[in-house]
Amino acid sequence: MSSIFFDNQLPLSDVGSVCCIAWSKGEETPLLAVAEGCNVRIFREEGEELADAVQSRSVACTALAWHPHSKVLAAGWEDGAVTFTGPACSSARDDREVHRDSCILCIVFNPNGSRCVTTDNNGVVGVWKTDAKGLCNQMCHYRKSGAHDKVSFRTMTPTGEPSLENPPFFFGGEQGIIYLADDFGLCSERYKVGSPLQLLEYYHQKDVVVLVTKSVILAQFTLSAEGKVTKESKLKLSCGPNPEKLQGCWAGPGLLATCSHESIVRLWNLADDESYILSLQGVDERNSLSGDKVTSIDFNPRKQVLACGTRGGKMVQWRCSTISGTPKNENSWQVLPVVNASKCMIDKLTWGPGESLVHIRNERSSVILNEAQLNTAVQAPYLAVQTAPTQVLLHHIEKQTRYQLTTNFGVKGLSIGGSTVMLWNSKQVTLYEIDGHTMQAAVHSSFKHESGSIASAVLICQGQDRIVAVATGAKIEFCNSQGHVQRTIQFSAEVEGLPACLDVSGSFLVASTTMNVIRVWNVSREKPNQVGTARKFEGIDQQSLGDIRSVRINKNGKRVSMLVDQRMGPGGVHVGGGSLRVPDSRLFVYDLDADIFMTYKVGKSCVPVAHSWDCTDARLVCCEVVPQALAYDGEASQESAPPSPTAALKGSIVEASVQPKHCVITLFVADAESILLQDTISCLDPESNGLTRMPVALVVPHIYFSRQVSGEMSSPEGAPEEEHARSVITRAVLRDFAGLENMDEETTAALLNFSYHLACGNTDEAYKSVKGVRSTGVWESMSKMCVKTGRLDVAQKCLGQMGHARAAGALRACTEKEPEARLATVAVHLDMIEDAEQLLKQCGRFDILNQLYQACGEWEKALEVAKTKDRVHLKPTHFAYAQHLEAVEDVQGALTHFEFSGTYRTESPRLLCSLGMTEDLESYVEQSDDSHLHRWYAQYLESKANLEGASREYKKAGDWLSLCRVACFNEDLDRAQKICEDSQDHAACYHLARHLEAAGRTKEAIHFFQMAGRLSHALRLAQENNFDGDLMSLALASDPVNMSQAAKYYEGRGQPSKAVVLYQKAGQQKRALELCFSARLFDALRKIADDLSADSDPAILAKCAEFFMEHSQHDKAVHLLSISRQYEKAVQLCNEHDVQITEDMAERMTPDKNSMDQAQRAEILQEIAKLCKKQGSFQLACKKFTQAGDKLKAMKSLLKSG
């Protein structure tokens, strides 16, 4: 619901003579005192003056201050007089002695109102003892040099304990000296800054004095228990070109806000020694404040709103979103709609008590702005919406006609009963009779309520009678249309509180009180009959659930919906008596039968601001939701009421809390335990470029909105003056009734039941409720409803009933495992593209979403999804888009996306060739660096017999084979050879070698076969042409197979030495040995023997050993016998031929421990040891005797070794 500021202009005779103003402190009956010249006048919030409270003297009033706890006003005058008057004073009191012949500059009360400090321009500071009845007694006074106009109480002791009873105070002024004084006559200088003071504030939480001088120095200090200055700091402020116009105020704990006729507000975080700004630029969509300057500033701690007046007469507001602590940066402030407060510069802006009052003063006027919600009312076929403080728009739902009703008083509320509309404010009630044919409204009756202020009023229809229920004081009065009281319902002010909010629906009336008590009556008869008992707004543990802000009752009187505020204490703690009121983000519903309170959380950083029940269905309630950073989200232990079972598929408000938005939600109150989401409609009008529209009423199947169409109106909060902007009523169809707006009541009720049961998850009941419906359009609408609610099973039945074979077939053919993907299939066939898109996003099937976008021609969206969510199909998407562009003959675009798809090497040339664009093809290829593309184009040119161009493109492509092939085709063998030698390309070398072989140039062919790595071909040519010299080098560089063939060739040619080398290299040692034996190649055989190891063939080893023995090569024979494990034969050979045994030889002839029997091994070792002893190798003999186990002989050998 939008709000509006009522402008109550004060009836001052000379606005320019106003010196100062002061708001009373209590929220109950707020008063504003204004010093106009020599008079002090007191006004109510509506701008009405208290005639008997005027003070008049011969001199001007220069200072005003209200007692913090009562309606006692202290006034200071130009002649030094101080007076204490006001509604709470038993009699007026004054004093003229303390400040005789001086001008009073400042009056300040301490927090509990027991002390008052006054200062004047001659340096006198007076301390007074005061009370709530206006009694005042002078306690002491001080006289210091200079004028003192700044006073601040020290409400914290140096030890960190609050001091609120009789705290000392700081004062200072034009001398730049800060004094600390108390009420016992003690006063001393504590700090000197050397420049007149512009601001003097006290940071209570840290016991720090904060001051700003006229030379724009920000100084901070605190006093120790001994009174010494500590923690002093000074900072030169940046205040723009007008530092003398600096204004400042606290905007939170330790946060000082200042303005000085700049386009920004500066905030100084003294706790963290940081600063930031809030700018007027971009606070609204039209940037209407461009070039404007901030001229005044004030902060409302109750509302957490910082308000600024501007040179252009605007009031700009920022709401602090930090419940506890100090706002750290500009992101902690939420800008509110700009208010057109005045037509000239605002000199001073001052918040009043509570949340809705603010005083604006400029050179032409002095105005009290009172913020109030725009009122709406509905009773078919009429609805009414307030569009301005004195204007109400009447609208006929069925005929779509309208009438603008203008009153002579500010409308605070309205109500409709039958054809009568009632407008009221705190003192007056007026009834208008509506002519249904002409939509004209004439005054039926009007009366003033003299006995007390009207807190709320509603119109009750009892047949032809019109009864006005008025909440005033501690009672509800039932009056006739002339204002005569017929009945009264009394409340206990101490137990129940005062009735504050009324609502009527059909025959039921509900009231909520200031102490959060709910009472319901049946008013269908002459005497109201109470339904149930009075119910305190408390939980099971009897803890308060909050402060009720608004109540609405449904048509059968069974349920009451409520909007609630929570009270927050210091540090953001939820306490019942806290000073900060924070809107609750939950909608509360009281079930009278079950006697319980249900809640539905509308989302994080969102709050409900308006609510109403449907006129025809008692289960359906709608709620307007607005984004608001300062919102109470409920206790951590509390769970919000569940949305419907398919809320995850419907994009519920809970999901939307990531990005809060202004919208209307409709809810089904299903039973005593659950509230289910039914629909969500944005409050941004799609037909008016997204301008905000205000929800007015829910009348199934529509939700009605109001929107102003004047050029000036752009925000939901209107200007205080009536701009007579033309308002229009628009409507939006509920999702479940799309296309069925004109159905009869029976079908509409059936559809509503279907929607209700579907939201409850009761499929059978949902289907039963519409089973008798025969309209295809209705079944189609229900199919769409099933898509939106995620009920695939019911959707199948609906498709069958409406005969949509194509959709039903597509659903059966869909094999996707995600139900959302199958629902999306149905949605596509029902032309619900946006819903299909949302469903596919929810289930993460971005591949199908990509296909959907392609099918719909939404190529930009398809490419975006492919880039961010469906990377695996990015290239296919580009390819499909390129094909689409090719079909629409966008050649350049198609070429671009063929490149992105990676298919340009074939598709781009194909496209250009098919269109006969040969010159473009050549240019396209020339601009590309892709070798495949150049190769394709070279082949194309070669097919056209353009061999020179083909050679050029083959070279660019690095295709040396094709380049060599073309050169060979042209018989340019020199060029071909150069290509091969430069590129070292194997394929090109092979092609050239074959060409040379065919041309009979064998030597060159062998060379290029060798360069190509085709040694088998080179060997073949060498053998065929008996090139023995080349053959050996080629064979040694080839593989074993080719080596063997070359060895056979040399063997046949009678060159055994070369054959042996090749056989050995090829691994055919046996054949190499046989050839060595037959050709008696001892050197070659010795080399082969040196390469033999224990892993070699035993037969080869034995044969070599025998050969060496035959030819007296005993050492070689012994070596081969040892590695072939013929240890006995090796020892015997050494013994017979006296072969000298070395240590290595002895080790080779030593068997491994586990290779044979131990006795046999010992015998071999004994023989080796004896041979070593015989040859004089005593140490080696000792070692072998030891290994044989004969330690005695080992010792003897060792002794012989010396």
Side-chain angles (χ1 to χ4, degrees):
M1 179 180 290
S2 301
S3 61
I4 191 170
F5 279 91
F6 288 77
D7 58 329
N8 301 310
Q9 188 146 349
L10 303 183
L12 301 178
S13 56
D14 184 8
V15 176
S17 66
V18 174
C19 176
C20 55
I21 64 103
W23 279 104
S24 63
K25 305 302 181 183
E27 294 184 33
E28 183 179 353
T29 317
L31 299 175
L32 176 68
V34 178
E36 181 189 16
C38 300
N39 300 317
V40 174
R41 304 169 66 180
I42 299 177
F43 299 90
R44 294 191 178 93
E45 60 181 300
E46 296 88 358
E48 297 176 357
E49 184 177 5
L50 298 181
D52 56 350
V54 177
Q55 294 185 66
S56 298
R57 301 184 81 247
S58 60
V59 295
C61 178
T62 55
L64 292 172
W66 287 90
H67 191 278
H69 301 305
S70 70
K71 296 296 190 291
V72 173
L73 176 66
W77 303 82
E78 200 173 32
D79 61 355
V82 179
T83 60
F84 292 86
T85 61
C89 285
S90 56
S91 61
R93 295 173 176 81
D94 63 355
D95 181 274
R96 304 166 187 245
E97 298 299 325
V98 176
H99 301 284
R100 179 179 293 275
D101 298 327
S102 300
C103 178
I104 304 297
L105 299 180
C106 179
I107 304 176
V108 179
F109 284 91
N110 70 352
N112 65 2
S114 61
R115 298 290 185 270
C116 178
V117 177
T118 57
T119 66
D120 63 30
N121 61 340
N122 289 323
V124 176
V125 177
V127 183
W128 310 80
K129 181 179 180 181
T130 57
D131 64 7
K133 295 182 180 180
L135 295 176
C136 62
N137 294 305
Q138 182 196 352
M139 299 191 69
C140 61
H141 70 274
Y142 310 102
R143 186 178 297 274
K144 302 293 179 181
S145 61
H148 304 291
D149 58 348
K150 303 291 187 294
V151 177
S152 185
F153 281 90
R154 186 184 189 184
T155 54
M156 184 72 76
T157 64
T159 58
E161 298 178 358
S163 174
L164 302 178
E165 286 296 327
N166 296 307
F169 58 92
F170 296 97
F171 67 89
E174 64 182 8
Q175 298 293 323
I177 300 174
I178 307 299
Y179 298 91
L180 178 63
D182 58 19
D183 55 359
F184 298 113
L186 299 177
C187 177
S188 59
E189 178 183 326
R190 294 302 184 187
Y191 192 74
K192 189 171 184 178
V193 73
S195 177
L197 301 185
Q198 188 83 3
L199 291 175
L200 176 63
E201 301 288 349
Y202 178 70
Y203 184 4
H204 169 78
Q205 288 79 358
K206 296 291 182 68
D207 185 33
V208 173
V209 178
V210 181
L211 58 94
V212 178
T213 69
K214 291 189 177 180
S215 58
V216 205
I217 298 294
L218 171 65
Q220 303 178 62
F221 70 90
T222 187
L223 298 179
S224 64
E226 295 78 21
K228 295 182 179 180
V229 174
T230 61
K231 301 179 182 178
E232 179 187 6
S233 67
K234 290 184 178 180
L235 173 68
K236 181 74 172 180
L237 296 183
S238 174
C239 292
N242 302 296
E244 72 281 357
K245 298 180 179 180
L246 178 78
Q247 292 187 31
C249 64
W250 287 119
L255 187 67
L256 185 66
T258 63
C259 69
S260 55
H261 288 239
E262 297 178 279
S263 61
I264 57 175
V265 175
R266 302 180 187 271
L267 292 107
W268 312 89
N269 188 343
L270 306 181
D272 298 333
D273 197 22
E274 299 286 344
S275 66
Y276 55 94
I277 64 172
L278 300 176
S279 176
L280 296 184
Q281 300 299 320
V283 297
D284 61 356
E285 296 177 356
R286 296 180 300 150
N287 198 20
S288 60
L289 299 178
S290 178
D292 211 344
K293 307 294 182 184
V294 180
T295 57
S296 59
I297 189 169
D298 196 20
F299 181 70
N300 187 330
R302 169 79 175 270
K303 196 177 181 181
Q304 291 284 86
V305 169
L306 181 66
C308 301
T310 73
R311 183 179 295 172
K314 304 289 196 300
M315 183 171 72
V316 185
Q317 303 173 84
W318 290 273
R319 178 182 284 115
C320 175
S321 59
T322 303
I323 296 179
S324 62
T326 303
K328 300 296 183 183
N329 51 50
E330 59 273 12
N331 296 326
S332 301
W333 296 90
Q334 176 188 1
V335 65
L336 302 180
V338 178
V339 178
N340 297 317
S342 173
K343 294 183 178 180
C344 55
M345 182 178 75
I346 297 175
D347 297 323
K348 187 66 176 176
L349 178 149
T350 310
W351 281 105
E355 301 179 5
S356 59
L357 296 174
V358 62
H359 175 261
I360 299 290
R361 189 181 74 195
N362 57 41
E363 62 181 10
R364 299 179 184 175
S365 62
S366 183
V367 180
I368 296 176
L369 299 183
N370 191 347
E371 185 179 16
Q373 299 294 323
L374 287 175
N375 295 282
T376 62
V378 61
Q379 184 171 353
Y382 301 107
L383 64 84
V385 56
Q386 184 179 6
T387 58
T390 60
Q391 292 181 349
V392 174
L393 178 66
L394 302 178
H395 182 82
H396 197 291
I397 294 174
E398 297 173 357
K399 297 181 179 179
Q400 296 295 303
T401 54
R402 58 195 294 274
Y403 177 74
Q404 187 76 38
L405 188 63
T406 302
T407 67
N408 57 2
F409 61 91
V411 178
K412 189 176 180 180
L414 51 89
S415 181
I416 295 180
S419 60
T420 304
V421 59
M422 179 188 75
L423 311 182
W424 61 271
N425 64 8
S426 58
K427 291 188 175 182
Q428 181 176 348
V429 176
T430 302
L431 280 71
Y432 294 84
E433 193 68 28
I434 306 172
D435 187 334
H437 298 287
T438 63
M439 273 303 292
Q440 299 289 319
V443 175
H444 177 272
S445 61
S446 181
F447 62 88
K448 292 186 178 295
H449 195 271
E450 303 293 348
S451 60
S453 177
I454 299 175
S456 183
V458 292
L459 180 63
I460 303 171
C461 291
Q462 293 179 348
Q464 298 298 321
D465 296 331
R466 302 291 183 260
I467 306 298
V468 179
V470 176
T472 176
K475 60 183 182 293
I476 298 177
E477 297 176 347
F478 292 86
C479 310
N480 61 15
S481 59
Q482 303 303 319
H484 300 298
V485 179
Q486 297 176 333
R487 299 207 184 288
T488 300
I489 298 177
Q490 198 70 35
F491 286 74
S492 171
E494 296 77 13
V495 178
E496 296 177 315
L498 308 180
C501 184
L502 301 178
D503 185 54
V504 65
S505 179
S507 301
F508 295 92
L509 172 70
V510 63
S512 66
T513 70
T514 54
M515 296 182 68
N516 302 306
V517 173
I518 301 169
R519 293 178 64 178
V520 178
W521 298 268
N522 187 330
V523 292
S524 60
R525 299 180 181 274
E526 184 177 353
K527 181 180 179 180
N529 182 25
Q530 183 165 332
V531 180
T533 59
R535 181 63 158 91
K536 189 79 172 174
F537 187 47
E538 295 176 340
I540 300 176
D541 54 358
Q542 296 185 348
Q543 292 293 321
S544 173
L545 296 176
D547 292 348
I548 299 175
R549 178 172 14 118
S550 171
V551 292
R552 294 288 184 269
I553 190 167
N554 69 349
K555 63 170 290 187
N556 61 12
K558 299 292 185 180
R559 295 188 176 100
V560 177
S561 59
M562 291 162 285
L563 303 184
V564 176
D565 292 334
Q566 301 294 340
R567 290 185 178 269
M568 311 300 289
V573 180
H574 180 214
V575 293
S579 59
L580 174 62
R581 292 171 67 98
V582 177
D584 201 310
S585 63
R586 297 168 293 176
L587 173 71
F588 286 79
V589 176
Y590 175 54
D591 189 300
L592 275 74
D593 292 338
D595 192 27
I596 62 170
F597 291 99
M598 296 176 284
T599 63
Y600 185 87
K601 186 175 178 180
V602 300
K604 188 176 181 180
S605 299
C606 291
V607 294
V609 295
H611 58 132
S612 63
W613 294 86
D614 179 49
C615 301
T616 58
D617 195 298
R619 301 165 297 183
L620 190 62
V621 61
C622 73
C623 178
E624 181 184 359
V625 178
V626 299
Q628 181 166 314
L630 184 64
Y632 181 76
D633 292 329
E635 301 293 346
S637 60
Q638 286 184 333
E639 297 292 339
S640 62
S644 67
T646 56
L649 303 181
K650 294 189 289 183
S652 69
I653 298 300
V654 177
E655 285 185 355
S657 63
V658 178
Q659 293 182 342
K661 60 181 181 179
H662 188 190
C663 61
V664 179
I665 61 174
T666 54
L667 304 167
F668 279 120
V669 184
D671 48 40
E673 296 180 356
S674 60
I675 302 175
L676 307 174
L677 180 66
Q678 192 260 348
D679 197 2
T680 302
I681 299 176
S682 174
C683 287
L684 302 179
D685 193 348
E687 298 179 359
S688 302
N689 299 321
L691 292 178
T692 301
R693 51 185 179 174
M694 185 184 79
V696 175
L698 168 64
V699 182
V700 175
H702 296 96
I703 289 184
Y704 289 84
F705 295 89
S706 171
R707 180 176 55 82
Q708 291 190 337
V709 296
S710 70
E712 286 293 324
M713 189 62 184
S714 65
S715 67
E717 295 190 10
E721 62 271 2
E722 297 175 20
E723 297 180 356
H724 302 285
R726 188 170 65 88
S727 298
V728 296
I729 300 296
T730 61
R731 62 184 184 181
V733 181
L734 290 173
R735 177 194 64 202
D736 298 345
F737 295 88
L740 306 174
E741 301 91 330
N742 301 317
M743 287 293 171
D744 56 78
E745 293 184 3
E746 183 179 353
T747 304
T748 300
L751 280 174
L752 198 58
N753 288 328
F754 178 82
S755 179
Y756 171 76
H757 291 302
L758 208 58
C760 294
N762 194 337
T763 306
D764 294 337
E765 289 297 325
Y767 187 68
K768 287 179 182 177
S769 62
V770 293
K771 195 171 182 180
V773 176
R774 293 288 178 263
S775 171
T776 303
V778 173
W779 285 108
E780 181 178 358
S781 176
M782 288 188 289
S783 299
K784 294 180 178 180
M785 192 189 310
C786 293
V787 170
K788 290 183 177 291
T789 55
R791 296 312 301 263
L792 187 61
D793 49 351
V794 183
Q796 289 177 312
K797 296 181 180 179
C798 294
L799 290 175
Q801 290 286 348
M802 64 183 291
H804 201 318
R806 180 164 51 88
L811 180 58
R812 283 195 299 270
C814 182
T815 59
E816 305 297 339
K817 62 180 181 179
E818 297 88 356
E820 296 91 339
R822 297 197 294 274
L823 273 171
T825 301
V826 178
V828 169
H829 285 82
L830 294 175
D831 294 330
M832 301 171 66
I833 305 300
E834 292 183 0
D835 297 272
E837 176 184 345
Q838 187 66 25
L839 286 165
L840 292 172
K841 286 180 179 178
Q842 288 171 357
C843 67
R845 291 304 302 270
F846 295 100
D847 53 336
I848 306 178
L849 180 62
N850 187 352
Q851 296 175 12
L852 175 63
Y853 284 146
Q854 293 182 36
C856 295
E858 298 280 353
W859 291 103
E860 294 298 329
K861 291 183 179 180
L863 290 171
E864 183 63 26
V865 168
K867 290 176 184 176
T868 57
K869 303 291 186 181
D870 188 29
R871 298 282 302 180
V872 71
H873 293 116
L874 178 57
K875 289 187 176 182
T877 304
H878 279 293
F879 182 74
Y881 188 32
Q883 290 181 318
H884 167 74
L885 294 174
E886 179 182 355
V888 296
E889 298 183 356
D890 184 355
V891 177
Q892 189 58 46
L895 291 175
T896 300
H897 286 278
F898 276 136
E899 290 178 1
F900 288 147
S901 68
T903 60
Y904 64 94
R905 295 165 181 165
T906 56
E907 293 298 326
S908 295
R910 175 196 59 76
L911 171 61
L912 294 173
C913 287
S914 64
L915 297 176
M917 303 170 66
T918 54
E919 294 182 359
D920 294 306
L921 174 61
E922 180 180 359
S923 175
Y924 179 77
V925 173
E926 287 297 322
Q927 294 174 1
S928 175
D929 295 329
D930 189 88
S931 60
H932 295 82
L933 199 57
H934 284 286
R935 183 183 296 113
W936 185 94
Y937 189 53
Q939 292 171 349
Y940 172 77
L941 293 176
E942 186 178 355
S943 69
K944 299 295 185 182
N946 186 355
L947 298 183
E948 182 179 352
S951 298
R952 183 177 63 253
E953 294 300 323
Y954 279 134
K955 186 175 182 179
K956 290 180 181 179
D959 190 350
W960 308 110
L961 170 60
S962 298
L963 192 62
C964 179
R965 177 175 53 77
V966 172
C968 291
F969 179 80
N970 289 331
E971 295 298 330
D972 192 353
L973 297 182
D974 292 338
R975 184 165 176 266
Q977 291 182 19
K978 188 174 186 310
I979 290 170
C980 292
E981 290 171 354
D982 291 344
S983 67
Q984 296 291 313
D985 185 74
H986 288 184
C989 291
Y990 178 75
H991 180 86
L992 178 57
R994 293 301 299 267
H995 189 83
L996 291 171
E997 180 185 355
R1001 299 169 65 171
T1002 307
K1003 278 283 187 181
E1004 294 170 310
I1006 291 174
H1007 171 68
F1008 284 102
F1009 273 132
Q1010 188 175 3
M1011 286 182 64
R1014 302 298 182 91
L1015 295 176
S1016 58
H1017 289 281
L1019 287 169
R1020 174 179 58 77
L1021 284 179
Q1023 292 177 17
E1024 290 175 356
N1025 295 277
N1026 298 321
F1027 295 155
D1028 293 351
D1030 295 331
L1031 181 62
M1032 187 64 184
S1033 61
L1034 291 171
L1036 289 173
S1038 64
D1039 56 11
V1041 175
N1042 289 324
M1043 286 182 185
S1044 299
Q1045 292 178 355
K1048 290 179 181 179
Y1049 173 80
Y1050 279 119
E1051 189 177 352
R1053 299 276 293 181
Q1055 300 182 35
S1057 58
K1058 292 184 178 180
V1060 167
V1061 172
L1062 291 175
Y1063 277 132
Q1064 186 182 1
K1065 289 285 187 181
Q1068 299 184 24
Q1069 291 179 337
K1070 188 174 181 180
R1071 179 59 187 160
L1073 285 172
E1074 290 175 354
L1075 195 56
C1076 287
F1077 293 153
S1078 62
R1080 306 185 69 80
L1081 300 174
F1082 296 110
D1083 292 336
L1085 183 59
R1086 185 180 293 275
K1087 290 180 181 179
I1088 294 174
D1090 290 339
D1091 293 337
L1092 295 176
S1093 64
D1095 296 330
S1096 301
D1097 189 356
I1100 295 175
L1101 292 171
K1103 192 171 184 180
C1104 288
E1106 183 180 354
F1107 178 82
F1108 282 122
M1109 284 188 293
E1110 289 176 359
H1111 293 84
S1112 300
Q1113 300 282 334
H1114 303 296
D1115 54 342
K1116 287 290 185 182
V1118 170
H1119 171 71
L1120 292 174
L1121 290 172
S1122 297
I1123 64 176
S1124 63
R1125 295 183 177 87
Q1126 300 182 44
Y1127 304 112
E1128 297 91 340
K1129 195 171 182 179
V1131 173
Q1132 183 181 355
L1133 184 62
C1134 290
N1135 191 17
E1136 290 176 357
H1137 298 282
D1138 195 21
V1139 178
Q1140 184 68 31
I1141 299 177
T1142 64
E1143 186 171 357
D1144 290 340
M1145 190 180 295
E1147 289 301 322
R1148 282 196 295 269
M1149 290 189 295
T1150 301
D1152 295 335
K1153 287 185 178 182
N1154 300 323
S1155 63
M1156 61 176 61
D1157 182 64
Q1158 292 299 320
Q1160 187 181 358
R1161 180 177 181 272
E1163 184 180 350
I1164 294 172
L1165 290 171
Q1166 287 278 2
E1167 292 296 328
I1168 296 171
K1170 288 177 183 180
L1171 283 173
C1172 292
K1173 184 177 180 183
K1174 181 179 178 181
Q1175 293 176 0
S1177 301
F1178 297 107
Q1179 289 183 349
L1180 190 55
C1182 175
K1183 181 178 180 180
K1184 295 304 169 183
F1185 277 129
T1186 302
Q1187 290 177 345
D1190 194 342
K1191 295 182 180 180
L1192 179 60
K1193 290 182 180 182
M1195 290 296 293
K1196 289 179 181 180
S1197 298
L1198 185 61
L1199 290 172
K1200 286 184 180 182
S1201 67

